Amino acid sequence: MTQHQSTQTMKPATAAKKLGVYLEATPAEFREGVVSRAELNQLQADPPQWLQDLRAKGPHPRPVVAAKLGVSIAGLARGGVTEPLTTEQIEALKQEQPEWLVKERATQAEVRKEGARVKKLHAEKAARADRD
């Protein structure tokens, strides 16, 4: 008996998230259909012009904006950034260095530093446990 394998599909919102693009800025045919795993892989391997443009110029979804600014998504919200931003807008914020951005970047740096400290501590404990 042969096994029938179905094609894995996802909603456009899921595919947009995996591609790191803002769904509402994608072409209508992308938003209105479903995306198979093979189509997603093809988009990642050989992005069409619309995807290249979105990735380069935006508008970008919050996770991408946060990463480009070096802050958390919550930090964006605290700074009043609730809408997608273009690359140009992100660069302008980096140049302006508003107080909230400076504060959130410092907070994010502390979070990363603490995460590294905890990771090192766990590694040291594991190494001691292996020796004992």
Side-chain angles (χ1 to χ4, degrees), residues 17-28:
K17 187 174 182 179
K18 289 180 181 284
L19 292 169
V21 295
Y22 182 57
L23 178 63
E24 279 70 32
T26 61

Side-chain angles (χ1 to χ4, degrees), residues 40-97:
L40 178 69
N41 291 341
Q42 180 62 32
L43 287 169
Q44 289 173 324
D46 186 21
Q49 191 61 49
W50 65 263
L51 182 55
Q52 292 176 38
D53 291 344
L54 274 179
R55 286 178 169 169
K57 299 175 187 161
H60 303 287
R62 284 183 315 195
V64 174
V65 173
K68 287 180 178 277
L69 289 174
V71 300
S72 67
I73 294 173
L76 281 180
R78 286 189 292 269
V81 178
T82 57
E83 298 296 318
L85 298 179
T86 63
T87 300
E88 189 176 303
Q89 291 168 314
I90 293 168
E91 291 304 317
L93 276 173
K94 286 180 178 178
Q95 293 298 316
E96 292 168 16
Q97 289 286 311

Side-chain angles (χ1 to χ4, degrees), residues 62-78 99-117:
R62 284 183 315 195
V64 174
V65 173
K68 287 180 178 277
L69 289 174
V71 300
S72 67
I73 294 173
L76 281 180
R78 286 189 292 269
E99 186 179 326
W100 71 265
L101 181 57
V102 173
K103 181 181 175 195
E104 291 300 334
R105 281 182 161 175
T107 300
Q108 191 70 4
E110 285 300 315
V111 168
R112 286 189 185 112
K113 186 176 168 184
E114 179 63 10
R117 185 190 70 78

